Amino acid sequence: MDKLEIYPSVNGTEGLFPQQVSLAMLYVPAQRWENLFTPEEALDKGTLFRALDLPFLGGRRTK
């Protein structure tokens, strides 16, 4: 196993990651402006887009 390198962190202490490490990457596709809720419905549902109005199942699955 390779030896772990110790890098100085931003606040001056030592850590296992270099200062410029990428912690995460994401991909966010553009949302099409179609099939929208009215402003009142959007405020109630928490989204303007009908395609994003999905049920919260709390970890349960549906058949």
Side-chain angles (χ1 to χ4, degrees):
M1 184 173 196
D2 293 336
K3 182 179 176 183
L4 294 175
E5 290 189 48
I6 302 298
Y7 297 93
S9 68
V10 176
N11 64 4
T13 62
E14 292 182 345
L16 297 177
F17 295 102
Q19 292 179 349
Q20 302 300 321
V21 69
S22 294
L23 297 179
M25 295 182 74
L26 62 113
Y27 168 74
V28 181
Q31 181 67 41
R32 293 179 180 256
W33 284 84
E34 59 189 22
N35 199 15
L36 305 176
F37 286 120
T38 65
E40 294 78 17
E41 288 176 303
L43 285 172
D44 183 56
K45 304 253 184 206
T47 181
L48 182 62
F49 304 99
R50 291 182 187 274
L52 297 180
D53 184 28
L54 304 171
F56 175 71
L57 303 175
R60 296 180 309 229
R61 295 182 187 185
T62 61
K63 292 183 180 182

